[in-house]
Amino acid sequence: VSFSLDEGKFVVILGPSGAGKSTLLNLLGGLDSPTEGKIYVSGKDISALSNDELADYRASAVGFVFQFYNLVPTLTVKENVMLVNEIAPNAFPAEKMLEEVGPSELSGGEQQRVSIARALAKNPKILLCDEPTGALDSETGVMVLKVLLSMAKNYGKTIVIVTHNQNIAKMADVVIRVKNGKIKSVTEQAEPMSADEVEW
């Protein structure tokens, strides 16, 4: 199966639990290696990279957002975002990314927005999000999705979200449906809905 993750696109990998969504995300992020086939990102076969080259790829080209934030509790919000400065040569200023996502207090939604700011501060080409709204109520989840959408459109980032939520798929430029460890379909949506148009 071949599909393209173009710049500025909002992509959803959709499927039930255990379908292989997170595995596909890990393959795109260079966290796992395929047993067969090839994975090209920006024309480069990342499945052929050495461990050191994969580490460079993850450090410079990919940002990760997980369901459970992974913030360092002993650090401030700004310090959490500044962590990426040590590994990403073209990192955005922490203040700029925090201003974009707008955290004001550290509820669950605010913690997720800080984790998004930290991932984006690396200035990655691709932001990979594994169930980023799974631990949030619907109102807060919509807020987080709006932040991700704005990053795709305003900064030209490719945002890839793994979810089993059909509603999130309505917002996507591209929907990749996964079932039983296989990609079943890749659908481009010419006119995706906005977060406000989707019935939550």
Side-chain angles (χ1 to χ4, degrees):
V1 174
S2 176
F3 59 88
S4 175
L5 301 179
D6 296 328
E7 189 176 285
K9 294 291 186 184
F10 189 77
V11 180
V12 167
I13 300 174
L14 184 67
S17 295
K21 304 184 300 296
S22 294
T23 299
L24 179 55
L25 201 74
N26 289 342
L27 288 167
L28 292 171
L31 295 172
D32 290 339
S33 297
T35 52
E36 59 184 61
K38 298 179 185 296
I39 301 168
Y40 288 91
V41 177
S42 298
K44 180 183 288 188
D45 181 5
I46 65 166
S47 50
L49 298 180
S50 68
N51 285 338
D52 286 345
E53 289 170 329
L54 275 174
D56 288 342
Y57 165 72
R58 288 191 297 267
S60 62
V62 185
F64 295 94
V65 176
F66 301 100
Q67 183 173 346
F68 295 107
Y69 328 132
N70 295 331
L71 299 180
V72 180
T74 55
L75 298 180
T76 66
V77 167
K78 184 178 176 183
E79 287 168 344
N80 264 283
V81 177
M82 288 176 63
L83 282 174
V84 299
N85 292 356
E86 297 175 21
I87 60 167
N90 300 314
F92 285 125
E95 296 87 352
K96 181 178 178 63
M97 287 300 98
L98 285 169
E99 188 178 304
E100 287 288 345
V101 303
S104 55
E105 59 184 78
L106 290 185
S107 64
E110 302 301 340
Q111 288 184 67
Q112 188 60 292
R113 284 158 73 179
V114 172
S115 76
I116 291 167
R118 181 178 59 190
L120 285 165
K122 284 172 65 177
N123 194 11
K125 294 178 181 175
I126 304 170
L127 187 66
L128 302 176
C129 309
D130 198 349
E131 297 277 8
T133 61
L136 307 175
D137 62 73
S138 61
E139 183 178 340
T140 308
V142 169
M143 176 185 68
V144 165
L145 290 170
K146 285 181 177 179
V147 168
L148 291 169
L149 267 175
S150 75
M151 291 296 120
K153 304 311 174 193
N154 298 337
Y155 285 87
K157 302 301 179 191
T158 301
I159 309 293
V160 182
I161 293 184
V162 157
T163 186
H164 59 270
N165 187 332
Q166 300 271 356
N167 286 324
I168 296 175
K170 295 174 184 176
M171 300 167 52
D173 297 301
V174 179
V175 180
I176 301 167
R177 287 181 169 79
V178 180
K179 188 175 182 182
N180 298 328
K182 296 187 183 298
I183 295 174
K184 292 298 183 185
S185 66
V186 178
T187 307
E188 293 195 27
Q189 301 186 135
E191 296 184 13
M193 292 183 177
S194 71
D196 292 322
E197 291 175 307
V198 175
E199 289 187 14
W200 301 96

